[in-house]
Amino acid sequence: MLTESQIREFNERGFINVGRVLTDEQVEGLREGLDRVMAGKTERKPELLRNLAGGDIYADGDAQGDAAPRVFANAVVIQIVNIWEAEERYFHHIYNPLITTMAAQLCGAEVLRVWHDQIQYKPPGVGTYTGWHQDYPAWPILEPADLVTAWIPLDDATVENGCLWMVPGSHRWGIHKGLRTPEEGFDPIYDPAQLPAGARVVAEPLEVKAGHCEFHHCLTWHGSPKNPSPHPRRAIAVHYMPGHTRFVPRGRHPMDVRVEVAPGEILAGKYFPVVWDKGPVAPERLALT
Ligand SMILES: O=C(O)CCC(=O)C(=O)O
């Protein structure tokens, strides 16, 4: 459970590091699960497994397999969407009652569904940046803009290996068009004319230890720099949506092929599992097509 002052901090700043939510064993299990999915060893595949920076993941092409050693390409952020569909440990992770209780508190919701999850893995040395963005504009099939993400690193996320950077208060400034990432340094490039009076853009790095959890609002400005360090930076984010979130298609998203409701309806269905209903929900595997 979060305290009143933690909820206030989240509402004021748009993000919060709540500390440890996973044991070291759970973190190790998720790392193993990630290795299995990346090696193509699971029966079911995730919705997406790609290099977010474009191009191949591996220097010798993207064919999956565990023929070691694989050498990563030059600029890589491995993005995996809905690893929960592929791997049992991630399936259980999306229902973790410690995490869903906090997410429900932050959303002020009686019901929570999973919109989708995503791994972002920046391999040592070649891990590249994730540009400054707000999540909500990248999700043009949902309304309203009040989703919350639980972001948990599987390695200590530090300034050296590409931890998240955040802009406090930015979730209260609406949708910002044209946020960009500089070639040098990591301060966001933005349009001052779009900011409300009194808004001050001060980007800060947010170091989070492995197994600890950072929550952010879907309008909070954030991004993460390159990983030039010799250490991996792996993280699992679960995007939770309140029970009132509706399917309102205005653009395309990788998950739209999984939507089984009509425009304007609540975004419900087996690909968007209920994980909180006035209390924690027990994991139940539904048959996916
Ligand atoms: O893992 C990262 O560096 C970025 C994650 C992110 O953008 C998110 O979870 O919304």
Side-chain angles (χ1 to χ4, degrees):
M1 289 283 279
L2 297 174
T3 63
E4 284 300 316
S5 99
Q6 284 175 309
I7 296 171
R8 207 174 317 119
E9 178 180 334
F10 177 85
N11 288 337
E12 276 166 18
R13 284 166 61 81
F15 63 92
I16 185 172
N17 178 353
V18 299
R20 182 176 283 285
V21 293
L22 300 181
T23 64
D24 289 342
E25 292 70 30
Q26 284 173 313
V27 170
E28 189 48 40
L30 293 176
R31 289 181 190 144
E32 282 169 20
L34 173 57
D35 288 347
R36 288 186 67 230
V37 172
M38 287 196 51
K41 284 184 175 163
T42 56
E43 198 174 313
R44 194 185 165 82
K45 306 299 171 212
E47 292 291 336
L48 198 65
L49 195 168
R50 65 173 175 179
N51 181 357
L52 192 55
D56 290 336
I57 293 175
Y58 298 108
D60 61 353
D62 261 355
Q64 284 199 339
D66 57 354
R70 298 301 299 267
V71 176
F72 288 112
N74 266 335
V76 180
V77 177
I78 297 151
Q79 184 194 39
I80 303 176
V81 171
N82 272 15
I83 193 168
W84 74 259
E85 291 181 33
E87 222 282 335
E88 207 55 24
R89 286 166 278 205
Y90 286 92
F91 173 68
H92 284 275
H93 175 74
I94 63 174
Y95 291 86
N96 183 316
L98 210 53
I99 301 167
T100 55
T101 302
M102 293 181 194
Q105 283 184 283
L106 294 176
C107 287
E110 293 199 339
V111 172
L112 276 187
R113 292 187 178 84
V114 172
W115 159 222
H116 66 82
D117 71 22
Q118 67 170 305
I119 292 280
Q120 285 202 22
Y121 172 10
K122 297 174 194 281
V126 296
T128 193
Y129 67 90
T130 303
W132 279 99
H133 65 283
Q134 296 170 293
D135 292 331
Y136 185 68
W139 300 336
I141 66 171
L142 303 178
E143 268 184 28
D146 57 1
L147 288 79
V148 164
T149 292
W151 185 90
I152 301 176
L154 305 180
D155 309 285
D156 290 350
T158 63
V159 168
E160 288 70 36
N161 71 359
C163 67
L164 289 177
W165 282 60
M166 319 297 292
V167 173
S170 51
H171 64 305
R172 293 190 260 112
W173 304 340
I175 291 179
H176 196 97
K177 293 207 172 76
L179 270 187
R180 284 183 298 121
T181 306
E183 297 283 331
E184 296 284 322
F186 204 69
D187 283 324
I189 301 169
Y190 59 93
D191 171 16
Q194 291 181 46
L195 295 180
R200 279 188 63 232
V201 177
V202 183
E204 55 179 62
L206 183 69
E207 296 195 321
V208 182
K209 291 208 175 304
H212 292 213
C213 182
E214 178 270 349
F215 287 97
H216 56 263
H217 187 277
C218 64
L219 287 172
T220 304
W221 300 12
H222 62 289
S224 53
K226 295 178 181 176
N227 175 14
S229 83
H231 309 292
R233 203 238 63 182
R234 294 164 286 191
I236 172 70
V238 182
H239 308 300
Y240 289 105
M241 52 183 172
H244 57 235
T245 306
R246 291 180 186 277
F247 173 53
V248 182
R250 298 176 307 276
R252 298 306 308 268
H253 185 277
M255 287 304 293
D256 56 21
V257 294
R258 299 305 194 182
V259 175
E260 295 164 332
V261 300
E265 288 183 357
I266 298 290
L267 185 46
K270 54 184 178 296
Y271 288 92
F272 308 100
V274 174
V275 292
W276 176 272
D277 189 355
K278 299 193 186 85
V281 169
E284 186 194 354
R285 261 291 183 204
L286 298 175
L288 301 174
T289 45

